[in-house]
Amino acid sequence: MNDIERTTPMRAAMTRIRFKGAAVAAASVAMAVVLTACGGDEGSDKSEGKPKESSASSDSQKSEAPEPEAADEDQVLATIKGKDGVEVTVSSAERESGGFITVKGQVKNGSDQIWFAPGWQGLEQELVNNGASMAGATLVDQAGKKRYLILRDTDGRCLCTKFEAIQPDGEAPFFAQFPAPPQGTAEVDFQIPTMPTATIKISG
């Protein structure tokens, strides 16, 4: 009986010690969990903040990007009005690297009939190759007192537009290539048979 009385208080004491130890361990674990959760929240805020700053920077760059400039329209060097409502607009006369000048523009048929470039071939002997064309056009360098004819290929065909029939109120582009005057020549007279003469500026 005495052994039982001695043993029981000791067991009770040991039980209280174990309980206190478990409580302290549980509290420590709980504190660790709380600290970890707090640390995770701070990391999450920082990681979420960076994409927001990057997005704002990207939006700023987009708003500051310059818009493309509109392309310049072709200039008009001369407008030549002929009979029966035919009109020629010269848009460019540019020097090329091969030692020639290319004249470009537009022909408008303002008449009420189909137009076939009558008389524009000049006194051509090879009408089969240069029928409906401006093969009779010339450039005149007044300062140098020299006339330049449209260039031909080895078969006698002019290096110029061969026109199809232009309907009433219709338009068609044209080009014509001439030998280039000296570099010092900045202006020439452009002459098409049956049409008035126009002075045009050379570029290039």
Side-chain angles (χ1 to χ4, degrees), residues 70-86:
D72 295 335
E73 295 181 357
D74 291 338
Q75 62 179 341
V76 175
L77 300 184
T79 300
I80 309 169
K81 295 183 178 181
K83 61 181 181 179
D84 300 327
V86 177

Side-chain angles (χ1 to χ4, degrees), residues 10-24:
M10 290 180 64
R11 288 183 178 177
M14 291 296 293
T15 300
R16 286 195 296 270
I17 291 171
R18 289 176 182 174
F19 179 79
K20 288 182 180 180
V24 171

Side-chain angles (χ1 to χ4, degrees), residues 13-105:
M14 291 296 293
T15 300
R16 286 195 296 270
I17 291 171
R18 289 176 182 174
F19 179 79
K20 288 182 180 180
V24 171
S28 299
V29 171
M31 284 296 293
V33 170
V34 171
L35 291 176
T36 302
C38 292
D41 291 341
E42 291 178 359
S44 176
D45 290 341
K46 290 180 181 179
S47 63
E48 291 178 1
K50 289 182 180 179
K52 291 180 181 179
E53 293 176 0
S54 176
S55 176
S57 176
S58 176
D59 293 340
S60 176
Q61 290 176 358
K62 288 181 181 178
S63 62
E64 294 176 359
E67 295 182 359
E69 297 181 358
D72 295 335
E73 295 181 357
D74 291 338
Q75 62 179 341
V76 175
L77 300 184
T79 300
I80 309 169
K81 295 183 178 181
K83 61 181 181 179
D84 300 327
V86 177
E87 182 175 297
V88 175
T89 301
V90 181
S91 59
S92 66
E94 187 172 356
R95 291 182 186 272
E96 307 285 354
S97 59
F100 57 89
I101 286 179
T102 301
V103 179
K104 294 181 180 179

Side-chain angles (χ1 to χ4, degrees), residues 123-202:
L123 302 175
E124 282 293 321
Q125 309 225 338
E126 296 157 330
L127 293 178
V128 175
N129 292 333
N130 299 303
S133 70
M134 56 168 49
T138 61
L139 292 182
V140 178
D141 178 6
Q142 295 289 355
K145 297 181 180 180
K146 190 170 182 178
R147 182 184 298 271
Y148 298 91
L149 305 178
I150 286 183
L151 295 169
R152 265 66 167 174
D153 63 15
T154 55
D155 294 327
R157 290 187 291 261
C158 75
L159 300 183
C160 64
T161 298
K162 312 297 190 300
F163 294 103
E164 301 292 338
I166 301 179
Q167 299 296 323
D169 293 326
E171 296 184 7
F174 78 84
F175 81 95
Q177 293 183 331
F178 303 85
Q183 284 290 339
T185 302
E187 292 184 344
V188 289
D189 290 340
F190 182 50
Q191 297 180 342
I192 304 173
T194 75
M195 300 287 286
T197 300
T199 300
I200 57 177
K201 292 184 178 181
I202 300 173

